[in-house]
Amino acid sequence: MPGRAASPGPGAIFLLTDYGLQDEFVGMLHAAIRRLAPLAPVVDLTHGIPPFDVVAGSRALVRCAPHLGPGVLVGVVDPGVGTARRPVALGCPGRPGPGGPTGPTRLVGPDNGLLLGAAEVLGGVVEAVELPRPTRSVTFDGRDVFAPAAARLWAGEPLGALGPPLDPVSLVDLPSPWLASGEGWLEAEVLWVDRFGNLQLAARPEDLADAGLGSAGVVLLEHPGGQQPLVRVGAFEELRQYRAPHGAPALGLLVDANGQLAVVEDRGSAASTLGLAAGQRLRLRGAPGAPPERDPWAQEAR
Amino acid sequence: MPGRAASPGPGAIFLLTDYGLQDEFVGMLHAAIRRLAPLAPVVDLTHGIPPFDVVAGSRALVRCAPHLGPGVLVGVVDPGVGTARRPVALGCPGRPGPGGPTGPTRLVGPDNGLLLGAAEVLGGVVEAVELPRPTRSVTFDGRDVFAPAAARLWAGEPLGALGPPLDPVSLVDLPSPWLASGEGWLEAEVLWVDRFGNLQLAARPEDLADAGLGSAGVVLLEHPGGQQPLVRVGAFEELRQYRAPHGAPALGLLVDANGQLAVVEDRGSAASTLGLAAGQRLRLRGAPGAPPERDPWAQEAR
Amino acid sequence: MPGRAASPGPGAIFLLTDYGLQDEFVGMLHAAIRRLAPLAPVVDLTHGIPPFDVVAGSRALVRCAPHLGPGVLVGVVDPGVGTARRPVALGCPGRPGPGGPTGPTRLVGPDNGLLLGAAEVLGGVVEAVELPRPTRSVTFDGRDVFAPAAARLWAGEPLGALGPPLDPVSLVDLPSPWLASGEGWLEAEVLWVDRFGNLQLAARPEDLADAGLGSAGVVLLEHPGGQQPLVRVGAFEELRQYRAPHGAPALGLLVDANGQLAVVEDRGSAASTLGLAAGQRLRLRGAPGAPPERDPWAQEAR
């Protein structure tokens, strides 16, 4: 067993890229894997990361990591392909579980910060190597470097067989998402806007509690375009019983499937309604005149 | 063998959702299945159902059901996730075949009508259970409830092991698509607009025959935007020999791959040309002055 | 072994279509394959070929072919489905490799030119059969003809068992992409615009050399919208050190992952910047006043 990183054992190869599906890029990854590891199960996490958006890719990997079984996690969002940025493979112990560590124990991708958040979820980087660069083509490391490396790791080759070791401390990292709070207020970056228009925030319920807003039934959202009350709900459809003045959809705040706070709408896109996008900073604060125990529009809607 | 529903035996897990592919939702389903049933073949039917569109999802499942081998069919279009709507698993005998029943014999998804049309194709619901709801997260039952249930059913667990039984009669159903006809006319809802712009109608060739239009070489389509002659064709490219006045594309009526009538264009989108969408009602009637045996524009185009 | 075409042996079934992913078409292909060949690995190359675009599909298959392992290659872009165009299966020896021929040795699809470019890469067509047409439905040969044929070939059935032989010379071919050159200039068609907006040209580095531009550090691109200097680079991010006048992004010319010349931008879409699309013809010539050894904007940008 190389270093302290656990053996991958049986498992899958998990892929996340910004390649999209309109071209054959993803097919080329699968074909490259299959040539070296014909029996490897391959799971496409998503290939819909916006082009070149390393931060969005990193956050998606962080969301995925706790839900994956053993195997090799490949991330490719790589605007610097072909330059001095290093192709790397990382070893992690896996995330703690009742029956011992689990989850992927090998990560493969560019050294541009994409992988480190997920590696943290998986116990941190305990071993790292630099993958040799291709000599012929330099623009498709997914096909030429990362997929073959993942196939070899899945098949049981030790990390150290793939390239010279590098100091994990030297790996490029990304800034943390914005989160700040005080008495009665909380500021958080929008981490993600999903297909349904839900706005995932860089804050969790405990952050809201720390700001003294944990028991508020309604909070006020301040955003670049104005202010908006948010009803605390447990499910999207609970918002059906509320109706904002002038027929505008009621918006809610719930704890999403990743345990993060999210601004949501029932059968609609909160992102479109508010005109907001990933990366923007929002502020939540207490709603004056709307004590926690009272739902502001419930009366008229029921 | 639980009840009268056949055993799933070897087969696949078939997935249909409105999750899209831009996020990692579908990847999470695959990862959840793989943790419990690492060897299960998984077939993605489509994840492109419009968000929240239970009716569109239901119709896609009906189209798919006759063409699937044995296994477990999972449908997730679920705007009510987290509310009182029940997560369910259903048992069906499979559809009749020359060598005995075939097709999926287990269906998994929300009790909102999504599954019942496909269940009907597969012989009807002969057994049903309510799946326990997750305690921690309530917004991603696909990952937390439906995928694990499908994996367990695929692995051979009996339906009754997954939850308490429920009366199939209590399952939520959807209204049937609109179809009406009389002497010389037929009204039908647009069931589906596909990627190519073909408009699938809630009518089959026998419905056209019942209306006395079975032998018409041309029928007249009445739609909200006007009238349009449709040439009966057997293949898209047959329309090349016709040309509407002023160079407008000729439109046709054919029997599509699901046995439904469809309004089509050759290498073009009938939906765009006519400005029509799923859910609209169209009327077909005899074309005056265009006897069945005469193709109205064939003369000038040849 | 039928004819001179090699046996497919173990391998995968590779799929490329214009079906898109919004509908269940691709799922139906997978389901049809799985019923006849439950264990066949299936690789989706892409289903994002523009609707009806046989030329785009053909070029994508040519790009894919050199990178595939053994198996069966299925291509479906088929506006003539249901007409006199023939469904075919082709046998190829595979492309030359150090350890003998490799790559897919069976190709399946419509006889409309889609497959022939890839067949050429795979050693040429040495055997061909016409697949029987379906009797019931005529609009979904992917599900009813091509997927079943691919499954049977993957499972080891000889090509001759699938239909009557046809003369490979009778197969429909497509015109070659445009490429012309003279002393100091080169004209080439845009073969492909990928998701990132890179413009792949129908020219390779040796064509540039033949035109006497092989050592030019900058070439001039003439296109319908004007002129544009292109810096020869090895990787996208090298363009960061250049800045065009007035802040316009610098564009580059590199050898892409298929060995073709491509017009590219760093973290941006060259296609959008230039307003160009696949099929257009571009001209490259020497840049006056920009000798090869000098980078025109490097001075001011560093």
Side-chain angles (χ1 to χ4, degrees), chain B residues 238-245 250 295-302:
Chain B
E238 288 176 32
L239 288 165
R240 294 208 124 181
Q241 63 186 296
Y242 304 99
R243 180 113 311 259
D295 293 339
W297 309 297
Q299 217 68 342
E300 59 195 78
R302 267 170 190 152

Side-chain angles (χ1 to χ4, degrees), chain C residues 220-235:
Chain C
L220 200 65
L221 169 70
E222 294 178 344
H223 61 91
Q227 292 191 339
Q228 168 76 39
L230 302 178
V231 186
R232 285 295 301 268
V233 290

Side-chain angles (χ1 to χ4, degrees), chain B residues 3 46 53 55 84 112 115 162 185 200 232-233 252 266 270 281 297:
Chain B
T46 183
D53 195 338
V55 170
N112 61 9
L115 305 175
L162 270 70
W185 64 272
Q200 184 179 69
R232 286 295 300 270
V233 290
D266 176 42
R281 294 182 187 180
W297 309 297

Side-chain angles (χ1 to χ4, degrees), chain A residues 93-157:
Chain A
R95 68 177 194 287
T102 184
T105 51
R106 299 286 183 270
L107 288 80
V108 174
D111 176 28
N112 62 8
L114 178 68
L115 304 175
L116 284 200
E120 202 59 38
V121 176
L122 296 167
V125 179
V126 295
E127 192 184 358
V129 300
E130 180 172 353
L131 300 170
R133 288 162 216 207
T135 49
R136 290 191 312 167
S137 173
V138 294
T139 63
F140 196 1
D141 280 2
R143 178 191 73 189
D144 299 330
V145 178
F146 301 129
R152 291 172 62 189
L153 290 169
W154 181 86
E157 282 196 49

Side-chain angles (χ1 to χ4, degrees), chain A residues 18-25 27-28 30-31 34-35 47-52 79-83 137-140 143, chain C residues 12 21 41 43-46 48 63-64 66-69 95 192-196 234-237 254-257 267-268:
Chain A
D18 67 344
Y19 288 168
L21 295 172
Q22 77 182 55
D23 307 300
E24 71 274 16
F25 299 129
M28 293 293 94
H30 281 256
R34 196 155 291 288
R35 293 177 72 176
H47 301 287
I49 302 299
F52 320 119
V81 61
T83 63
S137 173
V138 294
T139 63
F140 196 1
R143 178 191 73 189
Chain C
L21 295 171
V43 172
D44 295 294
L45 295 173
T46 183
R63 294 192 300 269
C64 288
H67 302 282
L68 305 178
R95 66 175 198 289
W192 175 38
V193 176
D194 70 21
R195 163 177 168 90
F196 302 100
F236 303 98
E237 212 175 66
L254 61 65
V255 181
D256 75 7
R267 294 173 207 235

